[in-house]
Amino acid sequence: MNSTRVYRLRPGWRLQWEEAQQRHVLLYPEGMVQLNESAGAILTLLDGERDVTALIDELQRRFPQPPREEMTADVEEFLQDAANQGWIRHE
Amino acid sequence: MSEQPLSSDLKPIPGAPLWLLAELTYRCPLQCAYCSNPLDFAAQQEELSTEEWFDVLRQARAMGAVQLGFSGGEPLVRKDLEALVAEARRLGFYTNLITSGLGLDEARIGALREAGLDHIQISLQAADAEVAAAVAGSPKAHAKKLTMARAVKAAGYPMVLNVVLHRHNIDQIDDIIALCAELGADAVELANCQLYGWAQLNRAGLLPSREQLEAAEATTQRWRERLAAKGQDMRLLFVIPDYYATRPKACMGGWGSIFMTVAPDGAVLPCHSARILPMSFPTVREQPLQAIWYQSDAFNRYRGEDWMPSPCRDCDERHKDFGGCRCQAYMLTGNADATDPVCDLSPDHHLIEAAREEAANDQREVHELTLRNVRESRVFCRE
Ligand code: SF4
Ligand code: SF4
């Protein structure tokens, strides 16, 4: 994956924390994806400015446990998947 | 030691209603022959006021509802729609407007955007004005809808187009999808009309033939491939009519499970068509939403599986489809507790086959269907 790619949520879609469900959800026209903790953590950081490298830097800072390589692989796989599903886009 | 009744101990606690459908009004400038509104809508009581809707929104949000649909009737008929949208957004709802497009203009699109509306779903009736006019009882609606779809897109909304399919427009599906692609839809729901309300009344004149259905599905699949090859991200959702299925749909994800409708007069329903059932539904004017959702007889009636008749009761698929749709069971068998006759394990499945046959012999043209309007509705109003 190109590590300078800048992802953001698909326009019109919204990420928010739902107190009642105790998780992040991704809201879109007439639907909702209920996110697990890591998906929520990654999507929260897609601000339309951070590229993939900066995203992983920030995740490493917040979650120092997993080795960088492992995290990079996981994050890239997730981003690819999210892009295929149409949740996120890049320029 | 105190004895608790076992049943209340063992009943799983229902989850929160994640979805709220706010039917703001039954008023509508169109008269679609497939409308799912109640036949006796003209008898409905006074609509909830702006303040009452604010209160409904606050209560529902506090309970955990997050997806909100404004529908009707035509929700744009309500002058306070912008105010309701603004309050809903402030509360954190994702707000969907489900509209015919009539009553929309550029100023209103702007005002709704300002209020924070997230999404507009416009319904189209056909690819051409003639069929659209006959089925909706309005000669000008089609052109207006197209103009508004373009304006919605231009304003930067995500746009889902909804096309209700039936035997009089399903053969145009190629042109319909082409039109939606040209309008730049993000997604298209090609939904064969569900046979409730006015659609049930017109059933024999709406249900397509199996050949029509198969051809339309094949065309849709070809379009999916074509769109993928072009890299155009427009999802096509094709919904077959229940009457051609052998298993029922998981109606509303289960009765009283995630979905709640508030009707124009404040009645709280597990789905927008439940009013036809021979039971009564509490209104937000009488009780708090929380009590209605968790404690009312109406919402508990078909929750879980205790109520299920055979063959559902012992069926491995009961967690998948929850025995199907209560309204359909009632409309077809006269018994709301029955297995949905759509299921080919149901002892009443022959009713579905008979309905298909009746439809095959129905020669009515599109303009001969009964249109949904106040005059026709009065016929169905009880004292
Ligand atoms: S289906 Fe047609 S008549 Fe019924 S509410 Fe929608 S636009 Fe109005
Ligand atoms: S018998 Fe009941 S539970 Fe089983 S598939 Fe049919 S409707 Fe569903």
Side-chain angles (χ1 to χ4, degrees), chain B residues 15 18 47 52 58 104 123 134 144 147 230 258 282 289 293 296 302 343:
Chain B
L18 300 179
E47 289 176 8
E52 283 174 310
R58 283 173 205 140
L104 212 53
S123 59
K144 169 89 185 169
T147 314
K230 277 203 301 185
I258 49 170
L289 269 188
W293 178 260
S296 71
Y302 299 113
C343 183

Side-chain angles (χ1 to χ4, degrees), chain A residues 12 14 16 18 28-31, chain B residues 61 67 92-94 118-119:
Chain A
R14 205 161 80 224
Q16 75 189 30
E18 279 299 288
Y28 61 92
E30 292 162 63
Chain B
R61 183 71 186 126
Q67 273 287 352
F93 279 107
Y94 190 88
D118 291 293
H119 160 238

